[in-house]
């Protein structure tokens, strides 16, 4: 069994939120990228949970390898983190999704094409695990595009998964607006993981130390033979900005009982209750 | 004539799914900018008022795709049906409200046809003949303007909560036809072992929501949220950390990756107001914030606010709400 986990490096969304709340989130001269160099870069939260899902499958008895792959400018840190957590292989596909220069930027299709080319070049995958969406662009399209390009089923927003006894199918619990749904997908398949999977494990100190020396295998676009396909993104980010928020909040002061009564009075007056 | 299609399916027995009208409004804007024709497409049999709604929003066609395999709701059938529709009409754009199912189906259609896709769209436009989509990013902390190259079909999923449906100045009577979809080769690869079963009303349909966040401090304090919700005849919601920590069920989570709600009244208690949370409630008509940090982001979205400790304020608010209810006014 070969499990591939796709991980993306993103700006820490909590830090981005903090900058936004403080009114200090700004866009650089290129008009597209966030300028805050103080914001740490880390593994997309859902991708960390996708890796956790893979590790849980292994804990549950799945044999084989867990291969973690990332396309990015320099995702060595998050790949080392994956190694410390127990990934057997870590691979860096050298292309920068955030590079806005016309030829190098990647849209969802190009990202998926590179991941698929890499997966094929390594003998394929029985299970591809992704995050439900990347917390920077929030698009959530790459996994479905991978699935279509590979011609395999896609199951989204999983909170739990288990391999069937024969190893030829995966049982997935999905978080739907109508509650949990349990489905059976034949392998190979793509599954996206949601936060409901639960908190991912931490690496032990010893493994962290060990992983510090781990070097991701670096794969170039030329080696994948897809340079041309990845060259011209059809969805191109032209501009990014921080939307203005004009609040007009009326604060209700006084002791708790007073404030509560005042609020209820306002809501009655407005016809809200 | 070039076409802009709007597609919906999660149809309810008594009408079109929420978000379809808002999406039609964007579709009409795009069609006008392109000099194209607007059409509504319904997967499955259209509800009785579909033609009227389509006409009110200026659509010149209403197409239905009826096949028993679509009624079953599997994504393989939906993807194949929409792919056939796009191949037959070559629309310049196919827009759909970003429902739970659309989040899977739309990118798969894009993958199958090899056409561009943008999710979380909030606006569409045309510049020098190129399609441009404004979408939210970083949960809404930023807005992003994407340009779509080429003049082939593009898919856009529309995040409809912040949009307003505006009927066309001149209603039309759409031509109603059935699109001859052929799903003979489709066999759903994914088998549903246990279907989801909705228990009770859904947050999406609640008129009043009282939501609790990490500021509640302890799982047992969520009882206050439930009591206040009950006193106001509403439902209880939560921010993600409460779901992550197992205090409440995932069905309570409001936000970008939870429920997208649109109540008349939303009371946020001990919630900081992170963009990802607000993505699920900012369309509320009135937002009330209770937070002990006067600088919390939530106050920027709120109409009314109380700065203070929710442990002191909630019991008083429950009392006042119950008194109002008992008063029968
Ligand atoms: C990709 C992505 C998707 C996400 N999706 C969602 C989503 O769908 N829904 C969601 O909610 N979040 C989501 N999040 C998380 C989101 O970014 C925030 O982390 C989360 O909403 C914070 O929850 P909170 O406001 O309850 O907690 P906190 O941010 O910790 O805020 C707690 C608040 O309580 C106040 N407080 C503390 N004690 C008291 C007291 N005694 N009385 C009154 N006030 C008090 C504090 O001042 C603070 O403002 C997502 C994040 C990412 C990266
Ligand atoms: N650059 C990347 N490298 C590896 N995996 C990625 C990359 N971009 C997206 N993915 C995967 O696809 C998921 C959805 O990403 P997106 O469609 O960009 O929101 C992520 O959670 C990752 O699992």
């Amino acid at each position: 069994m070969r499990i591939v986990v796709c991980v993306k490096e993103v700006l820490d969304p909590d830090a981005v939120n903090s900058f936004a709340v403080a009114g200090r989130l700004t866009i650089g001269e290129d008009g597209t990228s966030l300028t805050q160099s103080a914001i740490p870069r880390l593994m997309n939260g859902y991708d960390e949970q996708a890796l956790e899902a893979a590790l849980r499958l292994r804990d549950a008895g799945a044999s084989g390898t867990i291969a973690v792959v990332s396309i990015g400018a320099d995702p060595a840190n998050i790949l080392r983190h994956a190694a410390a957590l127990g990934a057997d292989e870590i691979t860096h596909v050298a292309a920068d999704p955030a590079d806005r220069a016309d030829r190098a930027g990647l849209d969802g299709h190009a990202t998926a094409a590179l991941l698929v080319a890499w997966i094929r070049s390594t003998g394929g995958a029985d299970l591809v695990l992704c995050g439900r969406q990347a917390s920077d662009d929030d698009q959530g399209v790459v996994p479905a595009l991978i699935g279509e390009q590979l011609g395999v089923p896609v199951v989204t927003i999983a909170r739990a998964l288990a391999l069937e006894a024969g190893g030829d199918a995966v049982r997935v619990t999905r978080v739907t607006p109508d509650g949990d749904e349990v489905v059976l997908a034949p392998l190979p398949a793509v599954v996206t993981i949601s936060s409901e999977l639960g908190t991912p494990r931490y690496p032990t100190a010893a493994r962290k130390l060990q992983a510090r020396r781990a070097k991701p295998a670096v794969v170039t676009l030329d080696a994948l033979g897809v340079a041309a396909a990845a060259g011209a993104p059809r969805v191109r980010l032209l501009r990014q900005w921080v939307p203005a928020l004009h609040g007009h909040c009326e604060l209700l002061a006084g002791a708790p009982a007073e404030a509560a009564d005042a609020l209820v009075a306002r809501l009655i007056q407005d016809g809200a209750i | 004539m070039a076409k802009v299609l709007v597609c919906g399916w999660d149809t309810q027995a008594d009408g079109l799914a929420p978000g379809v009208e808002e999406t039609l409004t964007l579709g009409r804007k795009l069609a006008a900018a392109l000099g194209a024709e607007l059409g509504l497409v319904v997967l499955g049999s259209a509800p009785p008022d579909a033609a009227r709604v389509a006409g009110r929003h200026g659509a010149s066609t209403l197409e239905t795709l009826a096949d028993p395999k679509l009624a079953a709701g599997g994504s393989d059938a939906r993807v194949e049906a929409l792919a056939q529709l796009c191949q037959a009409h070559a629309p310049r754009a196919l827009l759909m409200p970003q429902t739970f199912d659309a989040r899977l189906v739309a990118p798969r259609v894009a993958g199958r046809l090899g056409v561009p896709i943008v999710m979380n769209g909030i606006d569409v436009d045309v510049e020098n003949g190129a399609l441009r989509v404004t979408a939210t990013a970083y949960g809404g902390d930023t807005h992003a303007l994407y340009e779509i190259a080429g003049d082939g079909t593009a898919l856009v999923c529309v995040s409809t909560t912040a949009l307003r449906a505006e009927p066309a100045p001149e209603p039309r009577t759409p031509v109603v036809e059935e699109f001859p979809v052929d799903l003979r080769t489709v066999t759903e690869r994914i088998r549903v072992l246990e279907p989801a079963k909705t228990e009770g009303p859904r947050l999406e349909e609640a008129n009043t929501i009282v939501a609790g966040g990490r500021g509640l401090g302890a799982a047992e304090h969520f009882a206050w949220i439930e009591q206040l919700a009950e006193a106001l005849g509403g439902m209880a919601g939560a921010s993600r950390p409460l779901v992550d920590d197992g205090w409440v069920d995932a069905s309570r989570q409001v936000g970008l990756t939870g429920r997208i709600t649109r109540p008349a009244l939303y009371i946020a208690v001990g919630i900081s107001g992170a963009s990802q949370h607000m993505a699920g409630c900012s369309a509320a008509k009135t937002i009330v914030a209770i937070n002990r940090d006067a600088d919390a982001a939530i106050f920027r979205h709120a109409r009314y606010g109380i700065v203070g400790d929710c442990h002191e304020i909630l019991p008083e608010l429950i009392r006042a709400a119950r008194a109002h209810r008992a008063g029968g006014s």
Side-chain angles (χ1 to χ4, degrees):
Chain A
M1 161 94 32
R2 179 175 165 83
I3 302 176
V4 166
V5 184
C6 303
V7 302
K8 183 180 187 186
E9 189 177 63
V10 295
L11 295 178
D12 176 357
D14 289 337
V16 173
N17 282 342
S18 303
F19 274 96
V21 170
R24 291 198 288 123
L25 195 62
T26 50
I27 306 293
E29 273 181 11
D30 62 357
T32 56
S33 40
L34 302 185
T35 45
Q36 276 68 32
S37 53
I39 298 177
R41 308 183 65 84
L42 33 81
M43 192 188 293
N44 181 37
Y46 299 115
D47 302 354
E48 204 170 347
Q49 284 166 309
L51 176 56
E52 173 66 22
L55 296 167
R56 287 185 194 174
L57 288 177
R58 184 151 77 188
D59 294 346
S63 57
T65 52
I66 298 176
V68 175
V69 60
S70 184
I71 306 176
D74 183 17
N77 277 333
I78 65 166
L79 288 172
R80 269 188 220 110
H81 179 60
L85 285 167
D88 302 301
E89 300 168 17
I90 48 174
T91 304
H92 170 201
V93 175
D96 184 0
D99 189 336
R100 311 293 182 213
D102 261 355
R103 268 194 47 77
L106 298 178
D107 60 7
H109 277 282
T111 304
L114 292 183
L115 290 168
V116 165
W118 177 77
I119 289 168
R120 289 204 167 117
S121 76
T122 54
D126 299 291
L127 183 60
V128 178
L129 297 177
C130 291
R132 62 176 286 172
Q133 65 200 66
S135 63
D136 48 6
D137 62 24
D138 286 327
Q139 286 291 300
V141 298
V142 168
L145 296 172
I146 294 174
E148 284 297 320
Q149 290 185 24
L150 285 173
V152 305
V154 183
V155 183
T156 50
I157 327 261
R159 76 176 328 156
L161 50 167
L163 292 169
E164 288 291 285
D168 57 357
V170 62
R171 182 186 288 255
V172 186
T173 308
R174 299 177 76 204
V175 186
T176 86
D178 296 323
D180 286 358
E181 174 188 78
V182 182
V183 301
L184 190 68
L187 295 179
V190 177
V191 179
T192 80
I193 306 298
S194 187
S195 47
E196 289 82 358
L197 182 97
T199 315
R201 68 195 65 189
Y202 294 107
T204 62
R207 296 214 59 153
K208 240 169 135 168
L209 211 62
Q210 223 179 351
R212 230 182 253 174
R213 286 189 306 268
K215 274 218 173 66
V218 179
V219 176
T220 62
L221 298 194
D222 285 341
L224 288 175
V226 286
R234 283 171 300 166
V235 177
R236 213 158 54 88
L237 181 66
L238 286 186
R239 267 205 308 282
Q240 185 165 212
W241 65 95
V242 179
L245 236 174
H246 306 289
H248 54 287
C249 182
E250 180 184 345
L251 290 180
L252 305 167
E258 261 176 86
D261 286 327
L263 174 60
V264 169
R266 294 288 196 290
L267 294 176
I268 292 170
Q269 197 185 342
D270 291 356
I273 59 174
Chain B
M1 194 179 197
K3 276 188 179 165
V4 171
L5 296 178
V6 169
C7 157
W9 62 81
D10 293 321
T11 49
Q12 302 160 325
D14 53 345
L16 286 163
V20 168
E21 294 198 50
E22 288 82 356
T23 307
L24 278 167
T25 302
L26 271 198
R28 191 173 76 245
K29 176 183 175 190
L30 188 58
L34 288 166
E37 197 169 67
L38 178 67
L40 176 64
V41 178
V42 179
L43 264 62
S45 57
D49 67 344
R52 199 175 45 80
V53 171
R56 185 168 52 191
H57 289 280
S60 52
T61 54
L62 166 65
E63 274 177 291
T64 56
L65 278 65
D67 188 291
K69 284 183 180 166
L70 287 173
S75 63
D76 283 339
R78 286 173 173 171
V79 170
E80 179 57 27
L82 287 176
Q84 286 181 15
L85 181 88
C86 286
Q87 277 162 337
H89 293 322
R92 198 49 212 287
L94 174 64
L95 275 53
M96 54 186 107
Q98 189 165 308
T99 60
F100 179 81
D101 290 327
R103 278 168 187 256
L104 169 61
V105 171
R108 280 192 56 200
V109 174
R112 180 139 324 166
L113 299 172
V115 303
I117 179 163
V118 177
M119 308 293 286
N120 306 311
I122 52 172
D123 199 8
V124 286
D125 221 331
V126 179
E127 185 81 28
N128 299 327
L131 231 66
R132 287 185 171 188
V133 182
T134 306
T136 59
Y138 289 99
D141 282 334
T142 69
H143 287 176
L145 178 68
Y146 295 102
E147 183 166 81
I148 297 175
D151 52 10
T153 299
L155 264 63
V156 181
C157 269
V158 180
S159 174
T160 56
T161 35
L163 303 179
R164 269 196 33 216
E166 279 171 40
E170 309 240 329
R172 319 177 54 134
T173 308
V175 178
V176 182
E177 10 184 74
E178 197 178 306
F179 178 80
V181 67
D182 180 358
L183 301 180
R184 274 174 303 183
T185 58
V186 176
T187 318
E188 293 293 338
R189 292 170 294 179
I190 291 164
R191 194 147 60 85
V192 178
L193 301 177
E194 293 169 33
K197 35 185 179 299
T198 326
E199 274 150 26
R202 299 221 233 147
L203 272 181
E204 287 89 335
E205 279 121 46
N207 202 40
T208 297
I209 295 173
V210 182
R214 192 138 56 180
L216 287 174
E220 60 267 26
H221 295 157
F222 196 75
W224 280 327
I225 298 297
E226 282 169 334
Q227 286 164 27
L228 183 57
E230 200 201 317
L232 295 171
M235 288 183 70
S239 65
R240 190 171 105 181
L242 273 56
V243 177
D244 288 348
D245 292 349
W247 296 7
V248 298
D249 185 72
S251 63
R252 299 281 160 191
Q253 181 180 321
V254 173
L256 179 73
T257 52
R259 302 309 149 103
I260 311 283
T261 70
R262 208 172 187 165
L265 175 62
Y266 190 87
I267 304 184
V269 185
I271 290 177
S272 61
S275 60
Q276 293 87 357
H277 182 79
M278 298 318 295
C281 64
S282 58
K285 203 155 156 254
T286 302
I287 294 177
V288 174
I290 299 169
N291 196 303
R292 70 172 176 202
D293 174 7
D295 292 328
I298 188 76
F299 288 116
R300 293 190 210 164
H301 300 269
R303 173 73 192 89
Y304 300 112
I306 301 178
V307 179
D309 186 346
C310 64
H311 306 113
E312 294 172 6
I313 294 157
L314 275 173
E316 293 298 338
L317 207 49
I318 293 166
R319 172 196 53 76
R322 283 181 179 156
H324 162 63
R325 198 129 206 229
S329 51

